[in-house]
Amino acid sequence: MSVRIDIAGLRPERVAVVPSPLAELGMALHALAEPGHHPGLQGWVTGVQAGLDPHLADRMCDADFLWTTTFADLFLPYAGIPGGATLPGATLAEELDLLDKLTDEQFVNAALEFSCATCYDIGADWLVDAEQGRRRALELAAARGPRQVRFTELLLTDPPRIRAWLRQFLQDCDEAFFAEAWSRLRHQLTADARHKTDLVRRKGLAEALAAASPAITLDEAAAEITVDKLSVGRTTTGDGTLLLVPTSLGWPHLAVLYRPGWQPVVHYPVGSPELAAPPSVEQLALRMTALSHPVRMRICRHLARSAWTTSELAQAHGMTAPEISRHLGVLKKAGLITTRRRGRYVQHQLDIAVVARLGSDFLEGILR
């Protein structure tokens, strides 16, 4: 499972690493709505919520589905501008102007991505197929609650009204809490963007992507970027730009915009914990499957305490050595045990550090 970006023919100068105030505001709203996703931001979230005007807090609930799941593509409007070469603005006001340049169809489709639980593959165009699209959108929004239904009705019947509402809401958020946060964050994001740009020029795109996240890899022979995620999708840079947007508030989220007809964007976190490289989604699934078997759980109980040979484990469990070997093979393939030779004996032991990280690895994997 992964998102793939075809970069055939992409020139180095068409790789842009640029901070985005609107994308960071989207992530700020997400952190306020889902503080459990961002334990490192608990202090900031508590401070903002304590000083938030009740009316503004209530307005956040009207469209919170735009940023609760992660955040809608509306927070990356430059990707939807025709030509594939538009970059994020230097200020929030500039990016809100870019948001205004999206067509009503683009705006509505991007907004309903989360409120109606749709995905890019469905290819719905809610305004073109008005009657059927409206009925389907309202059915899907109903599962999210009455506020989502009201918002979706207005979005389908009066897009300009919702667009004006959203712009004013984002401006009010900027005044209430985001401008102060952005004044601090933009320096870190600018420095990171400068560093990644320098890596692209001096060492190549593969080095820059690896520095952005170990979950991003480049197959230079195939001219394809792979981003390890639970979602599955494909996109291409074509004649446009590959845009990398850093976020200070985003860890552990690693987002990829691969909406058809839009410029590909990789929204990656900076300042994330410097732990061992996270396992891939496939490796994580392999580890959890390996531990789901009761016999392997009992074997792990022994191996967590000391090193055991296959014969010793067979005797302890009343099983044959070949049976134990098969279970050990599954655990070893999943990277859960280590093996060492002592003379003519081969001993196995549980990798406690790997097992201890399973909870955080699982959470990061599903939130990535």
Side-chain angles (χ1 to χ4, degrees):
M1 290 177 284
S2 58
V3 176
R4 301 179 187 277
I5 305 173
D6 181 351
I7 61 168
L10 180 69
R11 302 189 305 275
E13 61 270 21
R14 300 290 281 181
V15 177
V17 192
V18 188
S20 167
L22 182 55
E24 199 69 355
L25 174 53
M27 194 53 69
L29 289 167
H30 169 67
L32 290 169
E34 292 286 357
H37 289 194
H38 307 273
L41 299 177
Q42 289 288 353
W44 178 80
V45 168
T46 301
V48 171
Q49 290 176 337
L52 208 57
D53 175 76
H55 179 60
L56 181 59
D58 186 62
R59 288 161 65 200
M60 283 186 183
C61 298
D62 287 335
D64 63 356
F65 46 82
L66 293 178
W67 50 77
T68 298
T69 303
T70 53
F71 61 96
D73 292 343
L74 291 176
F75 290 97
L76 306 167
Y78 29 83
I81 305 299
T86 303
L87 301 181
T91 66
L92 181 64
E94 289 178 22
E95 294 202 322
L96 291 177
D97 289 342
L98 291 176
L99 183 60
D100 287 343
K101 290 183 178 181
L102 296 181
T103 66
D104 282 349
E105 288 77 11
Q106 287 178 304
F107 184 92
V108 171
N109 290 342
L112 291 181
E113 173 193 348
F114 290 121
S115 66
C116 291
T118 65
C119 64
Y120 295 151
D121 295 332
I122 290 178
D125 196 329
W126 308 99
L127 293 184
V128 172
D129 189 6
E131 183 178 348
Q132 183 177 353
R134 183 176 184 278
R135 183 169 58 251
R136 178 60 175 158
L138 292 175
E139 288 174 357
L140 293 168
R144 302 293 184 94
R147 285 196 178 208
Q148 283 80 351
V149 172
R150 288 195 297 271
F151 189 89
T152 300
E153 285 179 331
L154 286 173
L155 188 61
L156 291 169
T157 57
D158 193 358
R161 177 180 173 182
I162 291 296
R163 297 181 72 149
W165 179 94
L166 182 62
R167 178 170 183 133
Q168 186 61 57
F169 169 75
L170 295 174
Q171 289 173 332
D172 291 345
C173 287
D174 184 49
E175 182 179 345
F177 63 87
F178 183 68
E180 186 275 332
W182 180 248
S183 69
R184 295 181 292 103
L185 299 175
R186 64 186 178 87
H187 301 294
Q188 179 193 24
L189 297 177
T190 300
D192 183 84
R194 190 181 300 117
H195 171 62
K196 299 296 191 302
T197 300
D198 189 50
L199 281 177
V200 172
R201 292 172 178 168
R202 292 189 299 106
K203 297 187 176 181
L205 180 58
E207 287 280 346
L209 293 174
S213 171
I216 310 175
T217 57
L218 170 62
D219 183 338
E220 296 192 35
E224 185 176 75
I225 296 170
T226 299
V227 185
D228 183 64
K229 290 179 66 67
L230 278 172
S231 52
V232 178
R234 297 192 69 90
T235 187
T236 178
T237 54
D239 296 328
T241 300
L242 172 65
L243 186 56
L244 308 178
V245 176
T247 168
S248 287
L249 302 177
W251 188 87
H253 303 303
L254 172 62
V256 185
L257 189 158
Y258 56 99
R259 177 176 295 278
W262 287 43
Q263 175 183 355
V265 181
V266 177
H267 191 217
Y268 68 92
V270 302
S272 57
E274 295 299 328
L275 302 174
S280 66
V281 171
E282 288 76 11
Q283 183 74 355
L284 181 60
L286 198 64
R287 289 176 180 175
M288 299 184 74
T289 300
L291 292 174
S292 67
H293 197 288
V295 171
R296 291 194 284 272
M297 285 285 285
R298 291 198 298 271
I299 290 175
C300 286
R301 186 172 184 271
H302 285 84
L303 299 183
R305 288 163 170 77
S306 62
W308 290 62
T309 67
T310 302
S311 298
E312 290 171 336
L313 288 170
Q315 185 175 2
H317 290 269
M319 301 172 66
T320 67
E323 289 174 321
I324 291 293
S325 291
R326 283 194 290 272
H327 286 297
L328 289 173
V330 173
L331 292 170
K332 187 173 182 180
K333 184 178 180 181
L336 294 168
I337 63 173
T338 59
T339 301
R340 64 186 180 187
R341 180 173 290 277
R342 290 290 184 267
R344 62 190 184 92
Y345 296 102
V346 176
Q347 297 179 322
H348 313 280
Q349 193 160 17
L350 192 69
D351 190 328
I352 299 295
V354 170
V355 176
R357 288 199 305 266
L358 269 178
S360 58
D361 284 345
F362 172 73
L363 186 60
E364 181 177 346
I366 61 174
L367 291 179
R368 187 186 300 153

